[in-house]
Amino acid sequence: MLLAPSILAADFARLGAHAAEALHAGGDWLHVDVMDGHFVPEITIGALVAKSLRPLCTDTGTVLDVHLMVERPERQIAFFADAGADVITVHVEACRDPARTLQHIRSQGLRAGITLCPDTPLDRVLEVVRHADVALVMSVVPGRGGQAYIPRSTNRIRRLRKYLDANPCNTLIEVDGGVKAHNAYEIVAAGADVLVVGSAVFRGSAAENVAAIKAAALGVNS
Ligand code: DX5
Ligand code: ZN
């Protein structure tokens, strides 16, 4: 199980130091949420900030994981590839041709991720998941941090796990939204490989929170 601290909940005035705290404490991937004000209402950050975070991921041996909540994400891939992203994840709802976009990401030498909103039928992702290295299950409506985990997400994770087990490939299941120490075990048991955690990491001590969530995900009482 891998933990991906989401910088959306970090203190942007000291972004590098705050992200470093979470990665040094055992964060495995650094999750960067890109919002464009169209696909979701808010605007966050773009490739320039991802590029500034690249050396931190290199130094800590972690993965720079970019989640594009943007319309027509194919137009952004070159920028994030140049910024040094390791994984670029796009929304199935935002792509004109999701399989082609995933192939484009892979053609840049990166891992390609596909994701979907909680109300989008899972079949939309299953249709293209063979082109993806990561399948991200959104467990909140994308657009902001600090929301509650939508309970029916667990069944979607289970269904996806079952599908991937029946159609062997190396696709990782990532889960994003409302993940906390109290539900991490259930989510991993359902089949998640990577847990994205924003507010539950960056509110309070990031180092302590990372340790507590990892322990909880593994079923260790801490
Ligand atoms: C939501 C983002 C998430 C968010 C998760 O649109 O994709 O990555 O940061 O934050 P929490 O863990 O607070 O739900
Ligand atoms: Zn995200």
mmCIF file of all heavy atoms in Angstrom, residues 6 8 31-35 65-69 91 136 138 142-143 174-177 196, ligand 2:
data_model
loop_
_atom_site.group_PDB
_atom_site.id
_atom_site.type_symbol
_atom_site.label_atom_id
_atom_site.label_comp_id
_atom_site.label_asym_id
_atom_site.label_seq_id
_atom_site.Cartn_x
_atom_site.Cartn_y
_atom_site.Cartn_z
ATOM 1 N N SER A 6 -1.721 14.678 -0.638
ATOM 2 C CA SER A 6 -2.219 15.641 -1.630
ATOM 3 C C SER A 6 -1.915 17.049 -1.152
ATOM 4 O O SER A 6 -2.424 17.485 -0.111
ATOM 5 C CB SER A 6 -3.731 15.476 -1.812
ATOM 6 O OG SER A 6 -4.245 16.630 -2.465
ATOM 7 N N LEU A 8 -3.003 19.717 -2.017
ATOM 8 C CA LEU A 8 -4.133 20.655 -2.013
ATOM 9 C C LEU A 8 -4.399 21.183 -0.602
ATOM 10 O O LEU A 8 -4.842 22.313 -0.423
ATOM 11 C CB LEU A 8 -5.376 19.936 -2.553
ATOM 12 C CG LEU A 8 -6.587 20.795 -2.881
ATOM 13 C CD1 LEU A 8 -6.250 21.804 -3.972
ATOM 14 C CD2 LEU A 8 -7.751 19.929 -3.339
ATOM 15 N N HIS A 31 0.907 13.943 -4.529
ATOM 16 C CA HIS A 31 -0.275 14.113 -5.374
ATOM 17 C C HIS A 31 -0.538 15.601 -5.600
ATOM 18 O O HIS A 31 -0.703 16.368 -4.648
ATOM 19 C CB HIS A 31 -1.469 13.449 -4.667
ATOM 20 C CG HIS A 31 -2.724 13.399 -5.469
ATOM 21 N ND1 HIS A 31 -2.974 12.424 -6.416
ATOM 22 C CD2 HIS A 31 -3.818 14.200 -5.459
ATOM 23 C CE1 HIS A 31 -4.171 12.619 -6.945
ATOM 24 N NE2 HIS A 31 -4.709 13.698 -6.385
ATOM 25 N N VAL A 32 -0.582 15.991 -6.866
ATOM 26 C CA VAL A 32 -0.740 17.399 -7.239
ATOM 27 C C VAL A 32 -2.077 17.557 -7.967
ATOM 28 O O VAL A 32 -2.279 16.982 -9.044
ATOM 29 C CB VAL A 32 0.430 17.844 -8.140
ATOM 30 C CG1 VAL A 32 0.228 19.276 -8.619
ATOM 31 C CG2 VAL A 32 1.764 17.708 -7.398
ATOM 32 N N ASP A 33 -2.989 18.315 -7.372
ATOM 33 C CA ASP A 33 -4.327 18.491 -7.932
ATOM 34 C C ASP A 33 -4.385 19.742 -8.790
ATOM 35 O O ASP A 33 -4.256 20.860 -8.288
ATOM 36 C CB ASP A 33 -5.350 18.611 -6.795
ATOM 37 C CG ASP A 33 -5.631 17.273 -6.135
ATOM 38 O OD1 ASP A 33 -5.955 16.311 -6.861
ATOM 39 O OD2 ASP A 33 -5.511 17.188 -4.901
ATOM 40 N N VAL A 34 -4.624 19.530 -10.073
ATOM 41 C CA VAL A 34 -4.665 20.647 -11.024
ATOM 42 C C VAL A 34 -6.128 20.899 -11.397
ATOM 43 O O VAL A 34 -6.802 20.002 -11.921
ATOM 44 C CB VAL A 34 -3.837 20.311 -12.279
ATOM 45 C CG1 VAL A 34 -3.900 21.457 -13.277
ATOM 46 C CG2 VAL A 34 -2.391 19.996 -11.883
ATOM 47 N N MET A 35 -6.621 22.095 -11.095
ATOM 48 C CA MET A 35 -8.025 22.448 -11.390
ATOM 49 C C MET A 35 -8.035 23.681 -12.288
ATOM 50 O O MET A 35 -7.257 24.614 -12.068
ATOM 51 C CB MET A 35 -8.778 22.761 -10.098
ATOM 52 C CG MET A 35 -8.751 21.645 -9.086
ATOM 53 S SD MET A 35 -9.768 22.047 -7.643
ATOM 54 C CE MET A 35 -9.308 20.698 -6.542
ATOM 55 N N ASP A 65 2.853 12.744 -8.851
ATOM 56 C CA ASP A 65 1.572 12.194 -9.298
ATOM 57 C C ASP A 65 0.620 13.357 -9.592
ATOM 58 O O ASP A 65 0.149 14.016 -8.668
ATOM 59 C CB ASP A 65 1.038 11.317 -8.138
ATOM 60 C CG ASP A 65 -0.333 10.738 -8.384
ATOM 61 O OD1 ASP A 65 -0.643 10.411 -9.535
ATOM 62 O OD2 ASP A 65 -1.092 10.597 -7.390
ATOM 63 N N VAL A 66 0.349 13.595 -10.860
ATOM 64 C CA VAL A 66 -0.455 14.760 -11.250
ATOM 65 C C VAL A 66 -1.876 14.325 -11.613
ATOM 66 O O VAL A 66 -2.070 13.464 -12.480
ATOM 67 C CB VAL A 66 0.206 15.494 -12.441
ATOM 68 C CG1 VAL A 66 -0.701 16.609 -12.949
ATOM 69 C CG2 VAL A 66 1.574 16.044 -12.036
ATOM 70 N N HIS A 67 -2.846 14.924 -10.957
ATOM 71 C CA HIS A 67 -4.264 14.636 -11.188
ATOM 72 C C HIS A 67 -4.867 15.847 -11.902
ATOM 73 O O HIS A 67 -5.033 16.904 -11.299
ATOM 74 C CB HIS A 67 -4.937 14.385 -9.819
ATOM 75 C CG HIS A 67 -6.415 14.196 -9.866
ATOM 76 N ND1 HIS A 67 -7.199 14.220 -8.719
ATOM 77 C CD2 HIS A 67 -7.280 13.968 -10.888
ATOM 78 C CE1 HIS A 67 -8.464 14.016 -9.043
ATOM 79 N NE2 HIS A 67 -8.543 13.865 -10.359
ATOM 80 N N LEU A 68 -5.157 15.669 -13.175
ATOM 81 C CA LEU A 68 -5.660 16.790 -13.976
ATOM 82 C C LEU A 68 -7.185 16.845 -13.923
ATOM 83 O O LEU A 68 -7.861 16.033 -14.567
ATOM 84 C CB LEU A 68 -5.212 16.642 -15.434
ATOM 85 C CG LEU A 68 -3.728 16.766 -15.741
ATOM 86 C CD1 LEU A 68 -3.487 16.612 -17.251
ATOM 87 C CD2 LEU A 68 -3.177 18.107 -15.256
ATOM 88 N N MET A 69 -7.715 17.812 -13.189
ATOM 89 C CA MET A 69 -9.158 18.059 -13.184
ATOM 90 C C MET A 69 -9.404 19.225 -14.135
ATOM 91 O O MET A 69 -9.713 20.351 -13.714
ATOM 92 C CB MET A 69 -9.629 18.377 -11.761
ATOM 93 C CG MET A 69 -9.731 17.141 -10.891
ATOM 94 S SD MET A 69 -9.865 17.533 -9.138
ATOM 95 C CE MET A 69 -8.131 17.664 -8.731
ATOM 96 N N HIS A 91 -9.382 12.718 -16.437
ATOM 97 C CA HIS A 91 -10.766 12.301 -16.204
ATOM 98 C C HIS A 91 -11.381 11.781 -17.499
ATOM 99 O O HIS A 91 -11.282 12.427 -18.550
ATOM 100 C CB HIS A 91 -11.586 13.473 -15.666
ATOM 101 C CG HIS A 91 -11.537 13.564 -14.187
ATOM 102 N ND1 HIS A 91 -12.497 13.019 -13.370
ATOM 103 C CD2 HIS A 91 -10.595 14.093 -13.371
ATOM 104 C CE1 HIS A 91 -12.167 13.237 -12.104
ATOM 105 N NE2 HIS A 91 -11.022 13.888 -12.072
ATOM 106 N N LEU A 136 -7.832 5.602 -11.007
ATOM 107 C CA LEU A 136 -8.100 6.400 -9.801
ATOM 108 C C LEU A 136 -9.604 6.461 -9.564
ATOM 109 O O LEU A 136 -10.360 6.931 -10.421
ATOM 110 C CB LEU A 136 -7.527 7.812 -9.994
ATOM 111 C CG LEU A 136 -7.857 8.858 -8.936
ATOM 112 C CD1 LEU A 136 -7.243 8.487 -7.602
ATOM 113 C CD2 LEU A 136 -7.348 10.229 -9.359
ATOM 114 N N MET A 138 -12.414 8.235 -7.709
ATOM 115 C CA MET A 138 -12.730 9.434 -6.918
ATOM 116 C C MET A 138 -13.804 9.062 -5.910
ATOM 117 O O MET A 138 -14.889 8.623 -6.285
ATOM 118 C CB MET A 138 -13.249 10.567 -7.818
ATOM 119 C CG MET A 138 -12.194 11.278 -8.649
ATOM 120 S SD MET A 138 -10.822 11.979 -7.704
ATOM 121 C CE MET A 138 -11.649 13.099 -6.574
ATOM 122 N N PRO A 142 -15.006 15.665 -7.333
ATOM 123 C CA PRO A 142 -13.754 16.405 -7.444
ATOM 124 C C PRO A 142 -13.983 17.916 -7.382
ATOM 125 O O PRO A 142 -15.039 18.411 -7.765
ATOM 126 C CB PRO A 142 -13.212 15.989 -8.820
ATOM 127 C CG PRO A 142 -14.346 15.398 -9.545
ATOM 128 C CD PRO A 142 -15.303 14.872 -8.536
ATOM 129 N N GLY A 143 -12.998 18.599 -6.858
ATOM 130 C CA GLY A 143 -13.105 20.055 -6.835
ATOM 131 C C GLY A 143 -12.611 20.702 -5.567
ATOM 132 O O GLY A 143 -12.205 21.855 -5.579
ATOM 133 N N GLU A 174 -5.873 3.586 -7.344
ATOM 134 C CA GLU A 174 -5.641 4.722 -6.454
ATOM 135 C C GLU A 174 -7.012 5.249 -6.020
ATOM 136 O O GLU A 174 -7.958 5.203 -6.802
ATOM 137 C CB GLU A 174 -4.854 5.797 -7.236
ATOM 138 C CG GLU A 174 -4.361 6.976 -6.419
ATOM 139 C CD GLU A 174 -3.480 7.935 -7.263
ATOM 140 O OE1 GLU A 174 -3.485 7.839 -8.510
ATOM 141 O OE2 GLU A 174 -2.815 8.778 -6.643
ATOM 142 N N VAL A 175 -7.100 5.708 -4.792
ATOM 143 C CA VAL A 175 -8.384 6.209 -4.273
ATOM 144 C C VAL A 175 -8.155 7.613 -3.716
ATOM 145 O O VAL A 175 -7.184 7.857 -2.996
ATOM 146 C CB VAL A 175 -8.948 5.258 -3.191
ATOM 147 C CG1 VAL A 175 -10.248 5.802 -2.606
ATOM 148 C CG2 VAL A 175 -9.180 3.872 -3.783
ATOM 149 N N ASP A 176 -9.068 8.522 -4.049
ATOM 150 C CA ASP A 176 -8.852 9.941 -3.770
ATOM 151 C C ASP A 176 -10.123 10.589 -3.233
ATOM 152 O O ASP A 176 -11.134 10.650 -3.937
ATOM 153 C CB ASP A 176 -8.426 10.622 -5.077
ATOM 154 C CG ASP A 176 -8.039 12.079 -4.907
ATOM 155 O OD1 ASP A 176 -8.038 12.584 -3.775
ATOM 156 O OD2 ASP A 176 -7.732 12.723 -5.939
ATOM 157 N N GLY A 177 -10.043 11.080 -1.985
ATOM 158 C CA GLY A 177 -11.136 11.861 -1.425
ATOM 159 C C GLY A 177 -11.676 11.289 -0.133
ATOM 160 O O GLY A 177 -12.181 10.165 -0.100
ATOM 161 N N VAL A 196 -4.718 8.467 -1.687
ATOM 162 C CA VAL A 196 -4.458 9.907 -1.706
ATOM 163 C C VAL A 196 -5.058 10.497 -0.440
ATOM 164 O O VAL A 196 -6.221 10.234 -0.126
ATOM 165 C CB VAL A 196 -5.119 10.565 -2.941
ATOM 166 C CG1 VAL A 196 -4.915 12.082 -2.914
ATOM 167 C CG2 VAL A 196 -4.574 9.966 -4.224
HETATM 168 ZN ZN ZN B 2 -6.679 14.451 -6.508
#
